[in-house]
Amino acid sequence: MDSRRLAYLQAMGVVAWQPRSGAVAESEALPAAPEAAEPVSEAPLCMDWEALRQTACACRGCVLHETRTSVVFGVGSPDAALMLIGEAPGADEDRQGEPFVGAAGRLLNAMLKAIGLSRDEVYIANMLKCRPPGNRDPRPEEVAACGAYLERQVQLVNPKLVVALGRVAAQHLLESDASLGRLRGELHEFGAQRIPFLATYHPAYLLRKPTDKRKSWEDLKRIREVLAR
Ligand code: URA
């Protein structure tokens, strides 16, 4: 069993035991004690847009369902060439049910405009669909519980390029602990479809550290260049 399936099982509250031969026997997985969150499954990986949205909007796969106002599913063109992936909704997004609508969202719109793109032409989603209280970092079990929704969104959009916004999204999506400084220097591949993947600064970070906007502009030009190929 690969690590992603194991993470899903853990998020489902299922304990998979390891026989002496070394292979994990999924069929003999033992149910753990009942948890507050409902089980999630890989079923989203077969869904169309409507079923996926409805399932995500009813999700109770991790504790974040207890504190959310809205499920922030994603927005934009389902045929987008560019898909942007952030970390998790903040307070504004939780209130409005749409990713990147606060100050960071306005900067993101301006960054897109600088390379000739509008918000409607791209697809924007987050790793987590629900807001972590106090904007704390996502926990591994939350990322695992939400993973199939994002994976299916990427499959359905099938973009030419995926861009991670910020260190947290970049590290999780690339399964790397390298610094954002290192990750943004390279063109990576993402997922089973091996979609070209770039990492860049999170717009909220750029609001705090505007001097890095110069480096962000280099990333934007690279995004434009990959899209033009
Ligand atoms: N930060 C994110 O990563 N995503 C949002 O939707 C808003 C802020």
Side-chain angles (χ1 to χ4, degrees), residues 72 86-90 93 98-101 104 126 165 202 204:
V72 181
E87 179 180 327
E93 291 75 21
E98 184 171 328
F100 287 97
V101 288
N126 283 307
L165 298 170
H202 195 289

Coordinates of all heavy atoms in Angstrom, one line a residue, residues 72 86-90 93 98-101 104 126 165 202 204, ligand 1:
V72 N -15.1 26.0 1.3 CA -14.5 26.8 0.2 C -14.0 25.8 -0.8 O -12.8 25.4 -0.8 CB -13.4 27.7 0.8 CG1 -12.9 28.6 -0.3 CG2 -14.0 28.6 1.9
G86 N -3.7 27.2 -3.1 CA -3.3 27.8 -1.8 C -3.3 26.8 -0.7 O -3.5 25.6 -0.9
E87 N -3.2 27.4 0.5 CA -3.1 26.5 1.7 C -4.5 26.2 2.3 O -4.9 25.0 2.3 CB -2.3 27.3 2.7 CG -2.0 26.6 4.0 CD -1.2 27.6 4.9 OE1 -0.4 28.3 4.4 OE2 -1.4 27.5 6.1
A88 N -5.2 27.2 2.7 CA -6.5 26.9 3.3 C -7.3 28.3 3.4 O -6.6 29.3 3.4 CB -6.3 26.4 4.8
P89 N -8.6 28.2 3.5 CA -9.3 29.5 3.6 C -9.0 30.2 4.8 O -8.7 29.6 5.9 CB -10.8 29.0 3.6 CG -10.8 27.6 3.3 CD -9.5 27.0 3.5
G90 N -9.0 31.6 4.7 CA -8.9 32.4 5.9 C -10.3 32.9 6.3 O -11.3 32.3 5.8
E93 N -12.5 34.2 3.4 CA -12.9 33.1 2.5 C -14.0 32.2 3.2 O -15.0 31.8 2.6 CB -11.7 32.3 2.1 CG -10.7 33.0 1.2 CD -9.9 34.0 1.9 OE1 -9.7 34.0 3.2 OE2 -9.3 34.9 1.2
E98 N -15.5 31.5 -0.9 CA -14.7 31.6 -2.1 C -13.2 31.8 -1.8 O -12.9 32.6 -0.9 CB -15.2 32.7 -3.0 CG -14.5 32.8 -4.3 CD -15.1 33.8 -5.3 OE1 -16.4 34.0 -5.2 OE2 -14.4 34.4 -6.1
P99 N -12.3 31.1 -2.5 CA -10.9 31.2 -2.1 C -10.3 32.6 -2.5 O -10.8 33.2 -3.5 CB -10.2 30.1 -2.9 CG -11.1 29.7 -4.0 CD -12.5 30.0 -3.5
F100 N -9.4 33.0 -1.8 CA -8.6 34.3 -2.1 C -9.5 35.5 -2.4 O -9.5 36.0 -3.5 CB -7.6 34.0 -3.2 CG -6.5 33.2 -2.8 CD1 -6.4 31.8 -3.0 CD2 -5.4 33.8 -2.1 CE1 -5.4 31.0 -2.5 CE2 -4.3 33.0 -1.7 CZ -4.3 31.6 -1.9
V101 N -10.3 35.9 -1.4 CA -11.2 37.0 -1.6 C -10.8 38.2 -0.7 O -11.3 39.3 -0.9 CB -12.7 36.7 -1.4 CG1 -13.3 35.9 -2.5 CG2 -12.9 36.1 0.0
A104 N -5.2 39.3 0.4 CA -4.3 38.4 -0.3 C -4.9 38.1 -1.7 O -4.2 38.0 -2.7 CB -4.0 37.2 0.5
N126 N -7.8 25.5 -2.8 CA -6.9 25.4 -1.6 C -6.7 23.9 -1.3 O -7.6 23.1 -1.6 CB -7.5 26.0 -0.4 CG -7.4 27.6 -0.4 OD1 -6.3 28.1 -0.6 ND2 -8.5 28.2 -0.3
L165 N 0.8 28.2 -4.1 CA 1.0 29.6 -3.5 C 1.5 29.4 -2.1 O 0.7 29.0 -1.2 CB -0.3 30.3 -3.6 CG -0.9 30.6 -5.0 CD1 -2.3 31.1 -4.9 CD2 0.1 31.5 -5.7
H202 N 3.3 33.1 -1.4 CA 1.9 33.3 -1.1 C 1.6 34.8 -1.1 O 2.5 35.6 -0.6 CB 1.6 32.8 0.3 CG 0.1 32.6 0.6 ND1 -0.7 33.7 0.8 CD2 -0.6 31.5 0.7 CE1 -1.9 33.3 1.0 NE2 -1.9 32.0 0.9
A204 N -0.2 36.6 0.7 CA -0.3 37.2 2.0 C 1.1 37.4 2.5 O 1.4 38.4 3.3 CB -1.0 36.2 3.0
Ligands
URA1 N1 -4.8 32.0 1.9 C1 -4.9 30.8 1.3 O1 -4.0 30.0 1.2 N2 -6.1 30.6 0.7 C2 -7.1 31.4 0.7 O2 -8.1 31.1 0.1 C3 -7.0 32.6 1.3 C4 -5.8 32.9 2.0

